[in-house]
Amino acid sequence: MCGILSIFDHPDAVALMLRGMSYLQHRGPNGAGISAFYNGVHDCIKGPGLVDEVLPPDVVTKRLKGRKALCHTRYATTTDVNSMQPLFAEIEQAQVALAHNGNIPFAESIREKMKADHHWFLTNLDTELILHLICESKAVSLVGKIKDGLKSLKGAYSLVLLSDQEMIGLRDPKGFRPLIIGVLDGAYLFASETCALDTIGATFVRNVEPGEIVRITSAGIESHHFDSIENCARCIFEPVYFTRPDSIQTDNAERGARSFSTLRFELGKRLADQQRANFKLDIITGIPDSGTPAGEGFAFGMGMPHRNAIIRNHASGRTFLATNKALREEKVRVKFNVVKDLVRGKRWGLVDDSLVRGTTSKTTVAQFWEAKPAEIHLFIPCPRVISTCHHGINLSTMGELLAVGRSIEEMRQFLNVTSLTFLPLADLHEIVGGNGHCDGCFSQHYPEEVPTAA
Amino acid sequence: MCGILSIFDHPDAVALMLRGMSYLQHRGPNGAGISAFYNGVHDCIKGPGLVDEVLPPDVVTKRLKGRKALCHTRYATTTDVNSMQPLFAEIEQAQVALAHNGNIPFAESIREKMKADHHWFLTNLDTELILHLICESKAVSLVGKIKDGLKSLKGAYSLVLLSDQEMIGLRDPKGFRPLIIGVLDGAYLFASETCALDTIGATFVRNVEPGEIVRITSAGIESHHFDSIENCARCIFEPVYFTRPDSIQTDNAERGARSFSTLRFELGKRLADQQRANFKLDIITGIPDSGTPAGEGFAFGMGMPHRNAIIRNHASGRTFLATNKALREEKVRVKFNVVKDLVRGKRWGLVDDSLVRGTTSKTTVAQFWEAKPAEIHLFIPCPRVISTCHHGINLSTMGELLAVGRSIEEMRQFLNVTSLTFLPLADLHEIVGGNGHCDGCFSQHYPEEVPTAA
Amino acid sequence: MCGILSIFDHPDAVALMLRGMSYLQHRGPNGAGISAFYNGVHDCIKGPGLVDEVLPPDVVTKRLKGRKALCHTRYATTTDVNSMQPLFAEIEQAQVALAHNGNIPFAESIREKMKADHHWFLTNLDTELILHLICESKAVSLVGKIKDGLKSLKGAYSLVLLSDQEMIGLRDPKGFRPLIIGVLDGAYLFASETCALDTIGATFVRNVEPGEIVRITSAGIESHHFDSIENCARCIFEPVYFTRPDSIQTDNAERGARSFSTLRFELGKRLADQQRANFKLDIITGIPDSGTPAGEGFAFGMGMPHRNAIIRNHASGRTFLATNKALREEKVRVKFNVVKDLVRGKRWGLVDDSLVRGTTSKTTVAQFWEAKPAEIHLFIPCPRVISTCHHGINLSTMGELLAVGRSIEEMRQFLNVTSLTFLPLADLHEIVGGNGHCDGCFSQHYPEEVPTAA
Amino acid sequence: MCGILSIFDHPDAVALMLRGMSYLQHRGPNGAGISAFYNGVHDCIKGPGLVDEVLPPDVVTKRLKGRKALCHTRYATTTDVNSMQPLFAEIEQAQVALAHNGNIPFAESIREKMKADHHWFLTNLDTELILHLICESKAVSLVGKIKDGLKSLKGAYSLVLLSDQEMIGLRDPKGFRPLIIGVLDGAYLFASETCALDTIGATFVRNVEPGEIVRITSAGIESHHFDSIENCARCIFEPVYFTRPDSIQTDNAERGARSFSTLRFELGKRLADQQRANFKLDIITGIPDSGTPAGEGFAFGMGMPHRNAIIRNHASGRTFLATNKALREEKVRVKFNVVKDLVRGKRWGLVDDSLVRGTTSKTTVAQFWEAKPAEIHLFIPCPRVISTCHHGINLSTMGELLAVGRSIEEMRQFLNVTSLTFLPLADLHEIVGGNGHCDGCFSQHYPEEVPTAA
């Protein structure tokens, strides 16, 4: 997962990008970068860490100038600055900055083949491989090279290329990852989600469609398309977990401008509708912040109050060394605190957005038990994650997935909850709406061939 | 308002204080400081800003050592490090670090009188004035000097003094500000609120009572008292606004271990009980984070769903320069984003914890209107703030208070809401419970003489 | 030792002080602070460390404003910010910032007496004790209180007090520590040395005389004096070691505007004149940076070339952990590197400014031997330091002084040099010139009573 | 100009590199980077600025681990982190980190040709072009690919490649830029200069010879060579200016282990020998730090004392905003201060290492005149720089060179000195010694074709 935001030709380009990026940090908390063109010269600051750490506003706005800027937040554990984004590339046509959200399933084998063919790579990124394919094309224009070079590439790639003359945003033909178009003071933007537009006062224009290549120049906006026509395979895990609740689900026109908060509320409510008869609960809470909308929907569906029983701390999450054993182990919880009097003696429904490895949930549940509830019933408003993702979501290896090799009862025991309940896949599809989603992580049915899971 | 946390004789003293402080930052976001004794030597780091900025854990734990530590978070606009806390004082008996939460109403005139008497001050703090009084006493022990020196001092002072030999925590006889006792691994702590104990795994022992002077030494815990017996005047604004929702209301034994989250839920519910018949609403939200418990209670009381329609951003709140006028003015909202589809066309109930100057509420309401709700009804689960505080809460000057010189209708117009409703003072008292609160800010009746308002 | 710089009523006050301070860092590398008055409000930033670390120019100039500023560099090992300077004091007459250079020999006993008398201290500083004495005076004006309060105080104190209305600089009647007056664009300054004036383009006006109290207001400059008339006792170690070579010796009018570089050149030359017949040397170097002027003078006096054989590194002096034993021990020398081909096989004369504890010299000599010189003769252009200082120079305890309890031969063996030669005290006096110096560290004869050495 | 330092297989690799880099900062004050391999994984921190700013030791040593590390200091004005070194490259054989010192004269045209051939570049660096050529080779081993790929490449390239299995250091066949081999605790190092070995206690082994490719593996050291045999063209500007004085001139065996300090002393002495009869001077100083050795040599040759009349400030060189006009203009000199009494009324000889654009010299001379010397004679111990460098030294454009289009008299007037004297080229060659230097900047005769000067 990654976040992208770019703007073409605005006097506040760099300051706007910095602001907007902070709303895409949930898509990439491990690295951040920003590129800008000023008087035709590209400059870039990037590195591992949170946006605020890597890109202090005073430092960035002092150094980076110009009316065109592109930024990226990165979800990855590597820290080598050589593999941070945006990439810079000097190609035949221009100097460009690139940012990529997605994943190429067979990248490793393509890369090995290219290396055997005496090519080389300066980064670990799929982005560079994509650049390879674009540049090898004999087409003349950048759009032409993209259409030509990527025509047979499988995988997920929402991509933005920025030069001093043009800004190009594109989605792969299956449309795995989102990309939208916005406008502010006449300047166009590309963004991963609408919340990044909101925070800088920009207006949502429309989706970049799967397979579409949108080109922005000083002359305006052009739309091009990959020649291949493919079935949509938008990631169904984005609405369930990754997108911010205040972003709008732009991919499903039939649902209108529905926010993901509303979508998740409906998921929670549907689960309540199915399970109402089966549970006697006293009180319900969503695990903050991502589980709150589904929690509120579940509470509404159960006809019961929702209470924020888990208080999130806004100050430091930094860790430190301690000689105190108890401190190091169970009691070390800086991030959350449980409202004890609310919890004691009650039959609780806890709602989380999803269940992947289960380690965070296990810790939260343990902390919750300390406040001595009578029961803890855990509700997950989506199916079990039974397979890894090959298109851009970091769902760990098969071995780390809690649902792999475990029955629901075994999962319940691992998490130490009174009961554990999921929403069926059909309900998830119905509520997310529209056709053409990839639900490989829930179903193990992928829309295109993927490598054998490790 | 300020936050205090201290510990006597624990091997992880400094690391524990740093962690716990982050849970008291809401009481003092403008400054932070920590003192520690190591091999009998006092060292201190303090300055203006947030805990994480002023006290980077790696820097602090590298420099400060020792088993006794005291920290302070500060609510004030001055930045002069000379007036930050903890103070250091070398007195006849020992070297001590001091931290203070409260306010001395007639401090200025006492100070002027002392200066005319050829005394002087190295800080702007009431704390130094208190120190003056303590030191002038001819009593021998530190506890004796405190009892003697402060016997005729009016005002609010919860105070902790830490030396290498003892740790003393005390509250003024009226008990305006809180102070509690905790224990961890056999080491005693003082804290402003229970949440700071929770986060480090410490256990709540009991309240420091109004007028009590609690002394901790290696021999254990002793209790002393000021000779004067006075009526309690605990601040009623603490439960309404300042304390964290996950802290426990320790001052009212009859309510059991009720959290402030629950207390505020009840305030919201009571307001709903009173107003249910008067309003036709579609949906309700508390303004995060402080308005959420009352919002949930209000929604519950109204028999309607509560929805988190205002999403708080966890990344940067830093500002920056922009040439774009619109950006600078209305559209600059980094902190919050509104979930648009939830809001559009609905009759909303917004619940905030209190209404002081009204400027933040006005901005939030304006941002909410942009998402085009049908109506915005604002509910405040406490009375109007009609007078300033002289005992430690920074409630601005009289002229800045929204309720001063304005009818409720004028307040409604200023805030641009459809309606504006408050909870009566009697209901607040009943729900907070117990006798002996200062409600001067709501009633203009103070428990002791105060200066004429500016 | 400490450095002081202040200015009264200049539009660039804060920026000028920051610049000038960097030229006083040699007098106080352990702490730094700056105070300024803006619209009558005092603000202050201070802390342990180097000027650049504690006072980043962008942070300071953003926060501190105003036309009156005072700064201080501090020589001390304590890091408690409560005992950093400038101090702030609110006294009867005004709010003032204070900075002090000097030492009160019997401070501890005065302090103990005051504490027994129910006084107290908020810092460990002699400055606070001086403030005590000033404030206890019943005189009306600040100058009057100074004259009255300090009349019987023994010790070294060059002091600057800054308020929004006046700036006062004074030296104790014996004039142990320097203080000078400068002017820039009509605004007066006080400074410890002339080099701080040079770097900001200010002009040297004159010395503050021993026992003089100079008062600057918007009306101009006034001169007052302590009533007591005492013999001068200017510190003779200042010209030998502490002052920067580019500062001017302002205290000895008969020598004209002689720099300390020239003074030290003369010391080196005199030593050469005395020893020329006794040594056969090939080449000479002063140990940089402080030994260079004397080294050049010694080389000139010997009629031999001076060569910079020891190269100082301008980059990092920071240390780090290493598992490599050799690295940790002898070979770890970031600060200096020896020019090996220059050294090999030669009979070297090394010249250092003085010899106190001998530890640095021992290390430098060891590093020099590695380059395989034939001989190393060490020349010190001042006498042996045989006693501690009680008036402001941090000369360690008696036990740490190399010359205490050791013959010159024993010192030579400790340092591992071929020979070790000092300049006699009479020559030092003659070259420094003027009457009235304190040479207690060289002679154990102090100009006033001092505590028994520890 | 750039600095390189690398080590293969030492437990303190990262800490050692950080220390050593600080001694190569003079070769590249504009950027710094370090790569390390740990458990086969490459990590890298790099960015614009000084070593201490970009690579704080505590941050670096916490993040980078491993026994193999490579670092680079960079001389360039661009700040884009994409074009900082070390580069990372994944090639057929391995993952490698690369660092380069040098310049490819026709890089632009090669790059354009490659781009026209549908290649692309991720950086602006010649290093990437070199990597291109290496990777395109069909040879199997990395050494084989280097020999084959670079066989027809013209230009200056001292290059180090580090992988988890091997470390390769090479110089172009003409040997424009230096590269040496060191050893510490059995681990081999490559470095640009010997001073970097000194500071970490490593021993100089030998030069990498022009055209030599040295390969280090766990099996030991191997030597390979480019097939082409070419005349040496070592840069003559390195000994004159760029190398640190404490580094050893390793390229001229006949001179023994002569330091550049000694070499520059001899240059100054030779100039004195030539000019002794022509000048009546009172006193001589080298402009610190780079002009000091030649200054001492010149003084020795003239039979006159050398005096450090210009004191360098070790604290902040940071700039700041000022409203004071005089301050902004002439008087702003943080870096140097002149010892005024030394200068006044004397006929001075100033010695600088070289004269390129003349702007710094002009400022220093102006500052010197303010101290009122009688005369200022400027001596330069090398010829006039009349042409730009195409092999790695940043000598500005032709238009910026002071000597281009100006007679010596016009240069003298520009600098405002009494006289201006240079050392002839033949003397420079004789003293530097050995055959085979590139003196294009002094003679406009280059050892290979270069682009037409801009």
Side-chain angles (χ1 to χ4, degrees), chain D residues 304-358:
Chain D
M304 298 175 55
H306 178 275
R307 292 296 305 274
N308 274 340
I310 301 175
I311 304 298
R312 183 167 171 155
N313 191 21
H314 291 294
S316 175
R318 301 192 207 173
T319 54
F320 59 89
L321 294 171
T323 58
N324 180 264
K325 186 167 165 295
L327 192 66
R328 274 200 313 275
E329 290 169 5
E330 284 302 325
K331 291 177 183 172
V332 180
R333 287 137 194 167
V334 176
K335 199 176 163 194
F336 288 140
N337 199 21
V338 172
V339 182
K340 291 196 180 61
D341 68 323
L342 264 187
V343 174
R344 181 177 307 257
K346 303 269 178 47
R347 293 169 297 186
W348 273 87
L350 254 59
V351 184
D352 210 349
D353 50 84
S354 58
L355 198 56
V356 180
R357 289 179 299 173

Side-chain angles (χ1 to χ4, degrees), chain C residues 152-405:
Chain C
S152 59
L153 179 66
K154 296 292 178 194
Y157 45 96
S158 285
L159 196 69
V160 173
L161 298 91
L162 177 71
S163 80
D164 208 28
Q165 281 75 42
E166 60 189 333
M167 176 170 75
I168 296 172
L170 63 101
R171 286 170 84 187
D172 60 75
K174 289 202 168 60
F176 284 101
R177 298 284 142 228
L179 194 68
I180 59 167
I181 310 172
V183 69
L184 174 65
D185 304 333
Y188 282 102
L189 302 97
F190 290 117
S192 295
E193 297 185 21
T194 64
C195 65
L197 302 182
D198 293 343
T199 193
I200 56 175
T203 306
F204 170 67
V205 173
R206 67 170 178 86
N207 238 19
V208 176
E209 294 303 323
E212 187 183 11
I213 302 163
V214 176
R215 179 174 180 249
I216 311 292
T217 66
S218 55
I221 186 167
E222 302 163 17
S223 177
H224 307 261
H225 289 82
F226 285 106
D227 295 333
S228 59
I229 292 172
E230 301 193 31
N231 291 329
C232 245
R234 291 162 299 179
C235 170
I236 204 163
F237 208 69
E238 288 254 2
V240 163
Y241 173 75
F242 267 105
T243 44
R244 270 179 63 111
D246 47 339
S247 283
I248 297 298
Q249 189 190 15
T250 58
D251 249 345
N252 278 359
E254 77 267 31
R255 296 294 171 128
R258 181 174 62 164
S259 68
F260 293 97
S261 174
T262 297
L263 187 156
R264 288 168 198 163
F265 183 91
E266 290 173 26
L267 291 174
K269 182 167 169 301
R270 170 69 59 97
L271 186 54
D273 291 344
Q274 295 177 347
Q275 302 293 343
R276 199 177 301 121
N278 306 329
F279 291 92
K280 280 206 179 340
L281 302 175
D282 295 314
I283 193 165
I284 287 158
T285 196
I287 296 178
D289 289 346
S290 56
T292 301
E296 291 186 333
F298 186 78
F300 182 76
M302 297 294 276
M304 298 175 57
H306 178 275
R307 291 296 305 275
N308 274 341
I310 301 175
I311 305 296
R312 184 167 170 154
N313 192 19
H314 292 293
S316 175
R318 303 192 205 173
T319 54
F320 58 91
L321 294 170
T323 59
N324 180 264
K325 187 168 166 295
L327 192 65
R328 274 201 314 276
E329 289 170 6
E330 284 302 324
K331 291 177 184 172
V332 180
R333 289 139 194 165
V334 175
K335 197 175 163 194
F336 289 139
N337 199 21
V338 172
V339 182
K340 293 196 179 60
D341 68 322
L342 264 187
V343 175
R344 180 179 307 258
K346 304 270 178 46
R347 294 169 297 186
W348 273 88
L350 254 58
V351 184
D352 211 348
D353 49 84
S354 58
L355 199 56
V356 180
R357 288 179 299 172
T359 46
T360 308
S361 302
K362 188 180 168 71
T363 304
T364 306
V365 165
Q367 191 171 355
F368 215 81
W369 276 121
E370 284 174 25
K372 305 202 194 320
E375 302 170 358
I376 302 178
H377 301 270
L378 182 58
F379 297 91
I380 307 294
C382 66
R384 293 183 301 146
V385 173
I386 60 170
S387 193
T388 56
C389 177
H390 302 270
H391 293 92
I393 300 232
N394 191 339
L395 288 182
S396 322
T397 59
M398 289 298 281
E400 289 175 333
L401 296 175
L402 183 60
V404 171

